[in-house]
Amino acid sequence: MRTLKGVGTARLVVKKSVFIGYASPAKNEEEAKAFIVKIKAHHSDANHNVSAYVINDGRNFAVRYDDDGEPKGSAGKPVLKVIQNKGLSNVVVVVTRYFGGIKLGYGGLVKAYSEAASRAIENAGIVEVYETERFQVTFSYSLFHTVRETIEKAGARVVGEDYSGSVTFTVETRKGDAEGLMRLLVEKTRGKARVRRLFMGTFNGKL
């Protein structure tokens, strides 16, 4: 699943109208709604606070957008499309507009809201979240480079190291990859490395 690393903001001025985009990760629909309320309160003097979110927490799937007084389909929907086109989930975006006195027209609104949303998302940073597995591999110091190189070439990472007596690495891989890497480590060390499976979790990797 692709989501956001943190909160991102962006400011855009189009024909004297100021657009301020806010993008944030949200674990569920309650968090998304709370973020929208927070931004609306912060910009209570704005003409519009347009919002959209996509939530998929494993149990619930929700897709919502709000034009907040702008012409139907000219604001909230374009923001939602930016989220969807980037393949994101568990993300909420709010774009605030302070009207500058010059009308932008339907197409101008779509472009401005889309750009503000896109910039805010990019500034927040896109990450891939995936399930992981962990295992431990214990070996002698003479096998250090063989083990480290095998782990790195497999795209896994060492998240823990213990050098008391022999060497023990705690290794994290994507879900489904642990079994194969454990077998490979035993093979590369000619049976001298001992492996032990641990648990599953999640990892955020910046793209």
Side-chain angles (χ1 to χ4, degrees), residues 91-135:
V91 168
V92 54
V93 176
V94 181
V95 180
T96 297
R97 181 192 183 192
Y98 288 91
F99 181 54
I102 302 174
K103 292 184 178 181
L104 303 184
Y106 188 91
L109 289 174
V110 170
K111 183 178 180 181
Y113 277 109
S114 297
E115 187 170 350
S118 183
R119 288 186 186 183
I121 286 171
E122 293 303 322
N123 289 336
I126 297 174
V127 295
E128 184 179 358
V129 179
Y130 49 84
E131 286 189 289
T132 62
E133 295 176 282
R134 285 188 179 186
F135 67 88

Side-chain angles (χ1 to χ4, degrees), residues 3-4 10 27 31 33 42 44-45 99 104 106 117 121 130 141 150 159 165 170-171 179-180 182 184 192 198 202:
T3 187
L4 297 182
K27 293 179 181 177
E31 281 195 9
K33 289 178 178 178
H42 183 67
S44 58
D45 59 336
F99 181 54
L104 303 184
Y106 188 91
I121 286 171
Y130 49 84
Y141 282 87
T150 301
V159 295
T170 300
V171 182
E179 195 68 37
M182 289 166 70
L184 182 60
K192 294 178 181 179
L198 296 177
T202 60

Side-chain angles (χ1 to χ4, degrees), residues 1-6 86-89 125-132 157 172 174-175 201-207:
M1 178 181 72
R2 286 162 58 89
T3 187
L4 297 182
K5 184 178 182 181
K86 292 181 182 292
L88 302 175
S89 294
I126 297 174
V127 295
E128 184 179 358
V129 179
Y130 49 84
E131 286 189 289
T132 62
R157 62 182 192 140
E172 187 170 68
R174 289 193 184 221
K175 183 180 178 181
T202 60
F203 169 67
N204 293 341
K206 185 172 174 58
L207 296 177

